[in-house]
Every structure is written in C-alpha cells, then in structure tokens.
C-alpha cells in the first residue's frame, strides 16, 4: 500500500486529486485524460525497454510493444492525414529538437515568433538549446492588431534567408494561416516547421486549418487539446522519415516510454470519434463566452478576441500584474498562468497578463452558462483583492461549484 510505504508521496497525490476536484483549471495547455488513457499509462508497459522501432528493436520481448507502437503510428497518420508519424518523442521540446537536428547545423539561421507575441521557448529563445545553437530572427505580431502580419514575415524572411521558418504558438489566440507560411518558406527556400502543440485537437476536429501537407515538419504535444498523455509527436513527409526516426533514436533519445505510447494510441482512437469533435467545438464555444464576458467587465483581451481554445488578458488597466493575479486567483480556487502580452514591459517572471483556456473545464463538462459564472468570479476576485471576507466567500462558492464536476471523464 502506497499510503503505508510512502506516506509523503501518498499525501501529495491525495492532495493533488483533491486540488484538481476543487479548482477551476483554466491553463490552456493542460487537460484531463480519459480513464482508458490513465489505465494504460499506469500499466506494466512502463516495465519494458524497446529501443528501436517496431520489428527492429535492440531488445527481446517486444512482441506486444510492437503492436502498441504500430497502432499508434497508424492512428496518428490517419488522424492527421500524414505520410509518417513518430510517436516516441518524450515531449514537444524533444520533438522540436529532433526536427532541428535532422536538417539544421549549429549556426544556421531560423525565423520564429517572438515569445511575447506567442512563440515558444524551443522556437529559438536564447536561454533554450534552440537559441543557443541556432541564429534566430524573430517576427512579432502587429502592434496595432496584435495579429500575425504575414507581409512583415515575408520581408524578414527575404532579408534573413533562414533555413527554417517556425510557426505555431503557445498563446496566440487567432487562426494561423499555414498556407501563407508555406508560401513564404517556399519563396525563400526554407523548411517550414509547424508546432501545433496547442491546437492539435482543434485541427483534428476541423476547427483550425491543418499544416500537414504544407509544412515539411509538424510537431505537437499529445496532452493539450488532443487530451492524451503527456508526450510529443512528429508528423512529416515520407522523404524525411528516416532522418527523423534516426534522430529520435539513436540521435537524442534512448528507450521509448511504451506506457505513454499506449496512452497516445488510445487518445488517437478517442480523437477519431464524433464525441471528440463535439468536445472540441464546446471548447471553442466556452472560450468565446468566457472571453466576451471578461470583455464586458472591462478586461482588455490581446488581439481583441479569440478563435481558438485560449486568449490572453492584458491586466494593465486593472492595475495588477500577471503574477499577482495568478496568485490571487489561485487563492480562491481558479488556476491560470501569468503570461507575457505582446511587447510586455514586464519580465516573464512577473508579466502584464494572464493566459486563459477552456480545454480542461470543458473536459469536466462545463458549458457556456458556467463560463459566465467563471468570468464573474474572476472579476469579483480581482476587484475585491483587498477584502479578505469577500475572497473567503468567493473561495467557498468556487470550490463548491468545481466539486460538482468529475475529473475522470469516460
Ligand atoms: N508549457 C506549455 C504551455 O503552457 O503552453 C508550452 O511548453
């Protein structure tokens, strides 16, 4: 019994479960897996080493592991209409690393979205391996519209002649035009990498255009809107199959996490259902309502809206930083993360904004009317930040509400 053998870890687990039940989680990159995904991720597949690929392993005893990985690859290809899939990356970061290493050399030029505009750490940021190894130029959202300016990207690309252009984002709330990106990449002879970690579920449901077939490489995580286990995924054209597979192993990884690959396979099957499509539609509906309700209450939304599962709130007119808002909201049971706004005057550790997303609350069964309540609670909490009594009352109400929704969806 875990409780008896390791009471400290048991305690943390018990409290984490309790926290997940009693809070409203608005972090757009998190989600809640199904019971079936949870089951295989916590299974004996974790005991198995399987370096290599199906039928080409360096270990014996891989008969059943091969079934799992072959199915996962086949489902990923079918789901995204891709020529090839590698399901072994341990994370989105390793998926991106494998793509870079497979076609770039240290010192090569890349062009990526600036992090305050919505880009990701692994898209060439200086403190990350990608920024240490490659010579990155950044594109920004337009200062006025806070949306991607494709002409500006074309200008930079023509001037810089990068070897790879990276699109895809962690906090951009608008539809990305992958076709335009692919045209620009072709014009300057660059590879295109589309990192769809955030929007993979929306793509599968047809709610966001797909970059597959337009970009040479598409990377993703499997645990955000896609609602699978924590992990990474690479989709590519057949011509890059060997390069990518060899770069994952032996290039940058050892043994694959077979239990996680089994979880990915189950999640891909779930993503093929009508139920999953309806779930994605509900995420977007909920996000829109939450965004509009906050707007009604005087919150400035970056780019003035959302077309996806997330949006960023600029809190400067509310005289509170992202960090303080995050801590304050957590104290009443609402979990968000602080986030840079485009051209943020504050550092990433403080920020002027918070990022809000609806995949998790939608998995728990919350609908539009619940989003209205959540917007009201966010506003009440921020308005009454110096009134302990009101905050306590809000906390009770929020925790009672959250507890009514399950955290183990079918
Ligand atoms: N941590 C992820 C996110 O929150 O978007 C990106 O790595």
């Amino acid at each position: 019994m875990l409780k008896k053998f390791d009471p400290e870890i048991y305690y943390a687990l018990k409290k984490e479960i309790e926290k997940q039940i009693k809070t409203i989680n608005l972090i757009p990159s998190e989600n809640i897996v199904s019971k079936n995904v949870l089951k295989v991720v916590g299974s004996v597949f974790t005991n198995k080493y399987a370096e290599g690929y199906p039928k080409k392993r360096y270990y014996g005893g891989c008969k059943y592991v091969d079934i799992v990985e072959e199915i996962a690859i086949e489902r990923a290809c079918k789901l995204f209409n891709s020529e090839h899939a590698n399901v072994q990356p341990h994370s989105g970061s390793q998926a991106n690393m494998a793509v870079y290493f497979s076609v770039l050399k240290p010192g090569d030029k890349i062009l990526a979205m600036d992090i305050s505009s919505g880009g990701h750490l692994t898209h060439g940021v200086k403190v990350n391996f990608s920024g240490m190894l490659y010579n990155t130029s950044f594109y920004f959202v337009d200062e006025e519209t806070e949306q991607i300016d494709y002409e500006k990207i074309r200008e930079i690309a023509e001037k810089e002649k990068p070897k790879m252009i990276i699109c895809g984002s962690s906090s951009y709330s608008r539809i990305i035009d992958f076709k335009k990106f692919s045209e620009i990449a072709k014009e300057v002879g660059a590879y295109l990498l589309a990192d769809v970690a955030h929007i993979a579920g929306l793509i599968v449901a047809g709610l966001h255009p797909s970059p597959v077939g337009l970009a040479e490489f598409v990377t993703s995580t499997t645990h955000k809107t896609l609602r699978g286990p924590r992990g990474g995924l690479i989709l590519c054209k057949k011509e890059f199959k060997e390069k990518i597979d060899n770069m994952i192993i032996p290039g940058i990884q050892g043994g694959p996490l077979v239990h996680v690959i089994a979880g990915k396979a189950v999640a891909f099957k779930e993503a093929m259902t009508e139920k999953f499509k309806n779930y994605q539609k509900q995420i977007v509906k909920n996000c829109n309502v939450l965004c509009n309700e906050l707007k009604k209450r005087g919150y400035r939304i970056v780019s003035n809206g959302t077309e996806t599962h997330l949006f960023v709130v600029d809190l400067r007119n509310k005289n509170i930083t992202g960090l303080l808002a995050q801590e304050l909201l957590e104290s009443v049971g609402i979990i968000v993360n602080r986030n840079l706004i485009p051209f943020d005057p504050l550092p990433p550790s403080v920020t002027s904004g918070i990022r809000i997303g609806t995949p998790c609350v939608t998995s728990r069964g919350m609908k539009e009317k619940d989003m209205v309540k959540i917007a009201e609670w966010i506003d009440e909490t921020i308005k009454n930040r110096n009134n302990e009594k009101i905050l306590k009352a809000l906390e009770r109400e929020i925790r009672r509400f959250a507890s009514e929704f399950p955290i183990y969806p079918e």
Side-chain angles (χ1 to χ4, degrees), residues 167 169 179 183 186 208 241 280 316 326 348 389:
C167 56
S169 146
K179 200 158 171 280
E183 283 164 12
K186 279 202 176 68
H208 191 293
K241 173 184 185 312
Q280 297 294 324
R316 288 175 301 178
Q326 177 192 310
K389 209 166 146 212

Side-chain angles (χ1 to χ4, degrees), residues 28-29 96 112-123 139 141 146-148 150 166-178 181 193-200 202-203 208 211 219-221 224-225 302 308-312 339-340 342 355:
S29 48
N96 286 343
M113 192 186 224
D114 156 70
I115 203 160
S116 79
S117 292
H120 188 252
L121 202 60
T122 59
H123 298 178
Y139 56 89
V141 288
E146 296 175 313
Q147 298 198 33
I148 293 175
Y150 295 91
I166 299 139
C167 56
S169 146
S170 279
S171 57
Y172 186 68
S173 63
R174 299 291 178 165
I175 300 286
I176 297 170
D177 192 336
F178 293 122
F181 267 109
L193 162 61
D195 180 343
V196 300
H198 266 267
I199 53 172
L202 303 183
I203 289 173
H208 191 293
T219 55
S220 185
T221 53
K224 297 187 175 98
T225 48
V302 170
T308 63
H309 63 302
L310 64 73
F311 56 92
V312 175
N339 211 91
L340 292 169
R355 188 180 61 157

Side-chain angles (χ1 to χ4, degrees), residues 206-315:
L207 300 172
H208 191 293
S210 171
V212 175
L214 295 169
E216 281 77 19
F217 307 99
V218 176
T219 55
S220 185
T221 53
T222 46
H223 51 272
K224 297 187 175 98
T225 48
L226 203 49
R227 206 162 78 174
R230 306 196 73 78
L233 171 71
I234 304 173
L235 306 167
C236 66
K237 299 191 172 170
K238 264 219 173 81
E239 59 182 294
F240 297 106
K241 173 184 185 312
E242 214 167 311
K243 270 198 160 104
I244 287 293
D245 286 356
N246 287 335
M247 193 45 72
I248 284 290
I249 169 150
I252 60 169
Q253 289 191 174
L257 307 175
V258 181
H259 55 307
V260 178
I261 294 175
K264 290 174 187 174
V266 174
F268 296 153
K269 185 162 189 180
E270 290 171 354
M272 288 170 182
T273 62
E274 214 39 48
K275 193 173 159 196
F276 185 81
K277 277 197 187 133
N278 291 334
Y279 161 62
Q280 297 294 324
K281 282 184 194 151
Q282 191 63 48
I283 293 178
V284 176
K285 275 191 212 160
N286 282 350
C287 195
N288 238 293
V289 173
L290 188 47
C291 181
N292 285 331
E293 290 295 321
L294 284 172
K295 260 162 102 174
K296 276 188 207 163
R297 289 164 178 81
Y299 288 82
R300 195 189 85 78
I301 309 298
V302 170
S303 88
N304 198 30
T306 175
E307 295 164 321
T308 63
H309 63 302
L310 64 73
F311 56 92
V312 175
V313 186
D314 173 358
L315 292 166

Side-chain angles (χ1 to χ4, degrees), residues 74-75 194:
E74 189 192 308
R75 285 181 188 163

